[in-house]
Amino acid sequence: MSILKQVFTWWNGQTIGTRFYTWRFGNKIGQDEFGNSYYEGPKDNEGRPRRWVIFNGYAEASAIPAGWHGWMHHRTDIAPSQEEYQPREWQKPHKPNLTGSPEAYRPKGSMTSNGTRPRVTGDYDAWTPGD
């Protein structure tokens, strides 16, 4: 089943083409706490090394932590695995985008949450003829 997923799906792990390119040209740089693997390869047409990630499971760009995001986008040349990267004290632990999941943010009064939104001054009152 794994080989069929690689042939017919691009969103679940890596495809056959990505596996071949990674095997042929990729140099593994490191791995994050979610199991995503980061690679660097030959230079692109701008002279920068190509960088890519192979996701552990479902391919979701928001699953890349802040330190690795900076490295992927050439904000820094030193990968978090090559230094003692410590998040700032004000940074919260990384969470991927939860939209569409049971843990998504649902403010009070939204259609998907329980309860009603409290009335506030300035709420809209519908216009009726004769007012």
Side-chain angles (χ1 to χ4, degrees):
M1 184 63 175
S2 177
I3 195 75
L4 290 176
K5 278 186 180 178
Q6 290 178 16
V7 171
F8 294 108
T9 64
W10 57 265
W11 57 86
N12 196 352
Q14 61 180 321
T15 61
I16 296 287
T18 306
R19 181 182 295 269
F20 176 75
Y21 188 82
T22 301
W23 170 77
R24 181 106 160 101
F25 301 109
N27 178 25
K28 187 172 183 177
I29 302 299
Q31 192 169 359
D32 65 16
E33 63 267 22
F34 301 115
N36 301 327
S37 300
Y38 297 87
Y39 293 88
E40 195 169 57
K43 296 189 185 291
D44 62 11
N45 55 1
E46 294 178 3
R48 300 179 304 184
R50 291 183 188 270
R51 295 176 178 170
W52 66 94
V53 59
I54 295 180
F55 293 98
N56 180 20
Y58 189 72
E60 171 59 47
S62 70
I64 299 176
W68 283 104
H69 182 271
W71 178 80
M72 288 280 297
H73 293 277
H74 297 278
R75 304 265 190 298
T76 179
D77 288 333
I78 302 170
S81 63
Q82 297 171 344
E83 67 177 349
E84 293 300 317
Y85 175 78
Q86 293 297 320
R88 311 258 186 201
E89 64 274 357
W90 46 265
Q91 285 180 309
K92 293 182 178 181
H94 179 74
K95 287 171 77 174
N97 185 353
L98 300 173
T99 302
S101 76
E103 296 154 9
Y105 175 66
R106 293 180 173 87
K108 191 174 177 184
S110 77
M111 294 170 64
T112 56
S113 74
N114 298 332
T116 58
R117 183 177 62 86
R119 184 159 175 84
V120 294
T121 344
D123 263 1
Y124 175 78
D125 290 321
W127 173 82
T128 55
D131 282 348

